[in-house]
Amino acid sequence: MQLRDIMTNNVQTVNPNSSVKDAATIMKNLNVGSVPVCEGKRAVGIITDRDIAIRNVANNGDSNTPVTQVMSKNMIYGQPDMSDQEAATLMAEKQIRRLPVVENNNLVGIVSLGDLAVNSRSDMEAGEALSTISKPSKPAK
């Protein structure tokens, strides 16, 4: 199955100048852990709840900090014609739980581990991805 068949199409985004509070409010309202950052439809990054906690709150940042200052800029993404198995493997290798889907540099959707798990063919891949993603990392020294 291809990502285009299982991805969420209507993705809420923020622009780089949106505040961390704006991003956190979207996460709260949608019950999600990340929001893609776009200039128009062009994906330029992603901000996660972890980015907010580690790069903003832990550094005494405030809620008006622009997301561009705390977002993950080296975004890992998939393409609509990527298979669910390829996506699960990529997510496991990169230890990510959500994979933005980009076509012609434009955000067209997002896939989560939950999306992969709902697809019966990819239950095993999603489980393997989750077990790899959930491996503890070494703390920074």
Side-chain angles (χ1 to χ4, degrees):
M1 185 166 284
Q2 294 181 325
L3 293 188
R4 76 175 78 255
D5 301 319
I6 58 174
M7 69 185 186
T8 298
N9 295 310
N10 187 16
V11 181
Q12 182 75 42
T13 65
V14 293
N15 69 57
N17 295 319
S18 296
S19 70
V20 168
K21 182 178 181 179
D22 293 338
T25 299
I26 290 169
M27 289 181 208
K28 176 185 172 193
N29 291 342
L30 297 177
N31 193 28
V32 296
S34 67
V35 178
V37 181
C38 294
E39 291 176 342
K41 291 197 177 270
R42 187 172 67 87
V44 296
I46 191 164
I47 184 163
T48 66
D49 46 9
R50 188 171 193 280
D51 292 331
I52 293 170
I54 303 298
R55 296 181 182 156
N56 186 273
V57 175
N59 289 319
N60 297 318
D62 70 41
S63 63
N64 293 315
T65 299
V67 297
T68 192
Q69 292 183 17
V70 298
M71 70 183 191
S72 298
K73 295 176 183 167
N74 295 327
M75 190 170 74
I76 307 301
Y77 60 88
Q79 292 149 351
D81 59 352
M82 178 182 273
S83 75
D84 54 355
Q85 185 175 5
E86 290 172 308
T89 299
L90 178 62
M91 293 168 80
E93 287 173 357
K94 301 298 184 180
Q95 293 193 316
I96 57 174
R97 296 174 187 266
R98 302 152 202 102
L99 184 66
V101 181
V102 174
E103 186 171 47
N104 299 321
N105 293 322
N106 292 326
L107 181 73
V108 295
I110 195 162
V111 173
S112 70
L113 282 178
D115 295 327
L116 294 176
V118 169
N119 174 14
S120 62
R121 284 184 4 136
S122 65
D123 280 350
M124 185 181 291
E125 288 93 352
E128 289 172 9
L130 182 58
S131 68
T132 302
I133 290 167
S134 299
K135 286 182 182 175
S137 61
K138 296 178 182 166
K141 293 183 182 187

